Each structure stands twice: as structure tokens, then as C-alpha cells.
Amino acid sequence: MKWPRTIPARRVPLPCTLRGRLALLALVTTAVWVGLLAGAFNVTLSARLGAQADDLLRTRAAAVAATLETRPDGAIVIHEPADDRALDTGIWIYQGARAIERPAAPRRLQREADRLANHREIFVETVGPYVSRLYALPVLARSDHRRQVGTVVASVGLDPYRTMAHATLVGSAVLGLLFLGVVYLVTRAIVSRALRPVAEMSAQAASWSERGAAERFGVAGRPEELASLATNLDELLDRLAAVLRHEQRQSAELSHELRTPLARIVAETDWLAARPRTAAEQRTSHAVIASSAATMWQICETLLSEARTRAAPTPGRCALLDLAHDLARRSAEEHPQAAPVVVRGHAVAAGVAAPVAERILAPLLDNARRYAVRTVTIECARVPGGAEVAVADDGPGVPAGVGPAVFEPGRRADPADGHDGAGLGLALARRLARAAGGDIHLAASAEGARFVVRLPAG
């Protein structure tokens, strides 16, 4: 059995340009209002023409009734005016059901008038190619106004009224179409003129994109709406420029910091391939290569973590004291010869995910372990509106000439200390902390270096 194929309905295509869509919207809105007004006008006109026809029938019937005299025996006497030809047109006078005066009229109209004899006051409309409206006015006895002795029937043709109503309807439709055409053209012209500044801004943006210029739109001489748009676009361009500068700086930092460990790997590889080496020399070279590769991995992981946190901050919550104990345990397992890590403080929660908090604290702990003489201390504390973690060591500390500059990318407290550092740990730790809503600062300490991490409360 074959099912009938359903033909999808075709959607009416909309104009592709904003100017065309706004002009079409104005046209549709105006068409609705013109249609409603024209319809209301024609309905009102038809009702008014009908009321005029009824008033004419009442007036003519009353005028004819004024020429009639009713006698006590029920007879009706007609007092003819001097010139009653206009008055007698379309007028029937009945005494009871008998017509005592009738005009020349089509048979269909005569029958309808005869049917209205002895009727109370009523309006009737005939059907057919020539429509007429009839009005029956009762003639009451002079001695008893409750007794009807006759009837005056008046008629009028409705074709002139209907012709006028039809002509008015056609005229209003033609005028409405002409008006809609003018509205559409004027609206397109107005919208084009109104959108001209937007087109100019678009051309400016395209020109700046080709030349890589740093200009901004500004708000001078612009309408209020376009001034707001220009302000928002300038802010967007500023943010994009800041993101571009950040990406360029991050790429430069990455290439700069990867250059040293990569050069060591290449040098050790060339050295191994130059001539045969002893087993001890090979183990030393392999250890250097592994260490350099681990340093490169740490650099890439730290930079990627910072980029992910900046692009989409990870919501979460972590227990700082438990995280500090976990970092201390792993430090003891991975670096058994290094200074031990002591954890102090109270249980406190931070409003950041545990992986983010670990990436913030790990560079500080590595830095403290590198310079510590006897011990490294991690202290957790609750502060108003957040949590603090202090990482301190009993080493030589940060030289007074360096101070806060130690957070600059690639900066070491002592470049001649002999340690292999990427120079990005503290800088990226601060970036991660700020991206999470916190910060890191170098605190004053009587011995060694003390870095304090401030994080939002969990």
C-alpha cells in the first residue's frame, strides 16, 4: 500500500537585508492598520447609508399619512396636495387590506407591499437583482388610536446606496494600496539613511581588520543608540586586544622557557651519539634528558592549567588542610632527600576545585623545597571572607632587590643559584590564584621566604 506523499509547506522567504526586513515589518504593520481602518470606515458608511434610507422612508410615510383623514366609520379620505407626484412615488395606501392607492411598480414589489397591509410598523427588504426597502406605517382611527384602519407603505430602491458603498470600498482599497506602496518606499529610504552610520562602522572595522590597526570607534558625533553600540564594540575590541596580548605573552614565555630544557636534551643526545660512552656516562645523560623532559612537561602543564582556568573557571570546593597533607606526603615520597614538609593549621574550605588549588600550591612548594635548609612549613588559616595558605621555608629568602618582582615570568630570586627552574612557577601560580578570585603575595619573614595564598571561602 502506498501512502500519499506529504508535500512540505513552503516558507515565505524573508528579505536578506535588515533594511528589507524593517521595511517589510513597517509595511505589514501599516497594512493591518489600514485594513482595520478601511473596514471600520466601510462598515460605518454602510450603516449610515442604511440609516439614511430608513429616515427617508419614515419621512415620506409620515408626510403621506398627514394627508389622510380617517372617518368614524373607518373610511380613509385622501386630501391630494397640489403637486403630489414626487410624494406618491413608491407609496401604497391601504384601507384595511384593500389598496386605495398604489403606484406603478414591478409585480414582485407590489406583492411585498400588499403583504405589509394591516402590519404594525416594520421594515422589510426585498431580494433579487433590484433590491428595495419597504416601510409600513400604521394609520390609526381618529376616535380610537389603538385601532388600525389602514397602512401607508413606502419603498425606496437600495441600488444607489449600494453602488455608493461599493465605489467607496473600491476607492478605499485602491487608496490603501497606493498608501502602502508609498509607506514601503519611504520606510526603505528612512531605514537606509538610519543604517548608513552602521554601514560606515562596518567599513571601518573591515579596514582596521585588514591593516591590523588599533583604532576605536568612539562616541563623538554619534546618536545615542550608535554611541552605546560603539562603546560596547570598543570594549569588545579592548578585551580581544588584551586576550591577544596575553596569548602572545604566553606563547613567548612558553617558547623562552622550553628553549633551555630542549637545548639540554638536544645537547645530551648529540653527546651520546658522538662516540661510545660508558654506562655511568649514559646513565647521567639519561637522567639529564629525563629531568629536562619533566621540566618541559611541568611548563606545558602549568601553562595549560592557567589557560583553562582563565578561559572557564572551574567551580568547586576543596579542603585545604587535607590537600596540604597530600602534597606533603607526595613530596616526601618523590624527594626523600629534600627538607621535610610540616603542615599546620585548622581545617578550612576554599571555593575552588582541588586540582586548581593544587596547581596553585605546587609551584610554591617546589620553590620552598628547592631553597629550604631544614624544613618547609604549610599553614592553613581561616580569614574573613576567605582562606589563606602560607608556604614558608628557612632558606636564604628573596633578596631585597627582587621583592615582588619574583612573580614576573622567567624571574628567579638568584639566577646563579645552580638550580634548574623554569622561571614560570610563581608567575603562573599567581595567575591561577587571581583567575580563581584570589591572589598571592610575598609576606615579610624573619627567616627564609614566606608566600601567602588568599582564596575565596568555600
Side-chain angles (χ1 to χ4, degrees):
M1 178 178 180
K2 293 185 178 180
W3 296 95
R5 185 167 61 92
T6 303
I7 301 177
R10 293 185 178 180
R11 298 182 58 184
V12 178
L14 294 176
C16 298
T17 62
L18 180 60
R19 178 183 61 181
R21 294 189 179 186
L22 290 176
L24 180 61
L25 177 61
L27 179 65
V28 172
T29 304
T30 307
V32 171
W33 279 108
V34 169
L36 292 176
L37 292 176
F41 172 75
N42 282 277
V43 169
T44 304
L45 178 63
S46 297
R48 183 59 183 165
L49 291 176
Q52 288 182 354
D54 291 346
D55 290 342
L56 177 62
L57 290 173
R58 287 193 185 97
T59 301
R60 293 183 62 196
V64 172
T67 66
L68 302 180
E69 179 186 354
T70 59
R71 294 183 177 179
D73 59 354
I76 296 177
V77 178
I78 304 174
H79 297 283
E80 297 285 350
D83 187 5
D84 64 345
R85 285 179 299 176
L87 187 63
D88 288 342
T89 303
I91 295 293
W92 288 261
I93 301 175
Y94 294 90
Q95 181 175 329
R98 181 176 61 87
I100 59 177
E101 183 173 324
R102 66 171 68 237
R107 184 175 301 177
R108 175 178 52 81
L109 191 59
Q110 293 282 4
R111 287 198 301 268
E112 193 66 33
D114 293 340
R115 192 175 62 84
L116 295 179
N118 280 334
H119 256 285
R120 289 293 181 182
E121 185 176 7
I122 187 175
F123 286 94
V124 175
E125 193 170 301
T126 64
V127 295
Y130 303 101
V131 180
S132 298
R133 189 167 178 81
L134 292 88
Y135 170 64
L137 177 65
V139 178
L140 304 178
R142 179 176 299 179
S143 58
D144 185 3
H145 288 188
R146 292 176 297 178
R147 184 166 63 92
Q148 181 176 352
V149 296
T151 308
V152 175
V153 177
S155 71
V156 66
L158 295 183
D159 288 340
Y161 296 93
R162 295 196 172 184
T163 301
M164 180 181 296
H166 179 72
T168 304
L169 177 61
V170 173
S172 61
V174 173
L175 290 177
L177 291 176
L178 293 176
F179 179 70
L180 291 178
V182 173
V183 167
Y184 181 74
L185 296 177
V186 171
T187 304
R188 280 185 66 92
I190 293 175
V191 172
S192 298
R193 186 177 182 86
L195 293 179
R196 189 176 303 165
V198 179
E200 294 174 357
M201 294 174 65
S202 177
Q204 288 178 347
S207 175
W208 297 344
S209 176
E210 293 176 358
R211 295 186 286 108
E215 288 91 345
R216 294 295 183 264
F217 292 103
V219 298
R222 300 188 186 278
E224 182 178 353
E225 295 80 1
L226 292 183
S228 176
L229 174 63
T231 300
N232 294 333
L233 289 177
D234 287 345
E235 293 177 356
L236 176 61
L237 291 174
D238 291 339
R239 288 195 293 271
L240 290 176
V243 171
L244 182 60
R245 288 193 301 270
H246 170 74
E247 296 297 333
Q248 291 173 344
R249 184 179 64 180
Q250 193 175 46
S251 299
E253 292 171 357
L254 181 61
S255 62
H256 178 269
E257 294 302 326
L258 289 178
R259 187 178 301 143
T260 300
L262 185 59
R264 295 187 61 184
I265 292 176
V266 173
E268 291 295 336
T269 304
D270 293 341
W271 188 74
L272 285 174
R275 59 183 178 84
R277 304 293 175 181
T278 63
E281 290 175 338
Q282 290 182 358
R283 285 194 299 270
T284 302
S285 294
H286 292 163
V288 172
I289 292 174
S291 176
S292 299
T295 300
M296 293 176 64
W297 177 87
Q298 179 186 3
I299 293 171
C300 294
E301 183 66 21
T302 305
L303 287 172
L304 290 176
S305 297
E306 188 268 340
R308 285 193 295 266
T309 304
R310 182 179 293 272
T314 305
R317 188 172 182 272
C318 68
L320 290 178
L321 190 64
D322 295 341
L323 178 60
H325 281 295
D326 185 56
L327 290 174
R329 177 185 56 78
R330 282 188 283 171
S331 177
E333 293 175 354
E334 297 173 3
H335 307 280
Q337 304 300 325
V341 180
V342 178
V343 179
R344 298 174 183 170
H346 303 282
V348 59
V352 296
V356 177
E358 180 178 346
R359 296 307 307 167
I360 295 172
L361 295 177
L364 300 178
L365 184 58
D366 292 340
N367 186 75
R369 187 176 57 244
R370 182 180 299 124
Y371 295 103
V373 178
R374 295 180 302 276
T375 183
V376 175
T377 303
I378 301 178
E379 298 181 52
C380 301
R382 183 180 291 106
V383 296
E388 283 188 355
V389 181
V391 180
D393 62 77
D394 56 356
V398 179
V402 178
V406 74
F407 290 104
E408 295 178 0
R411 186 66 176 268
R412 295 192 182 97
D414 184 6
D417 57 11
H419 293 285
D420 295 329
L424 288 176
L426 297 179
L428 296 180
R430 171 176 272 189
R431 287 192 203 172
L432 289 172
R434 289 180 175 177
D439 203 353
I440 301 177
H441 67 275
L442 176 63
S445 177
E447 183 182 23
R450 178 181 175 86
F451 293 92
V452 178
V453 181
R454 177 74 177 266
L455 295 174

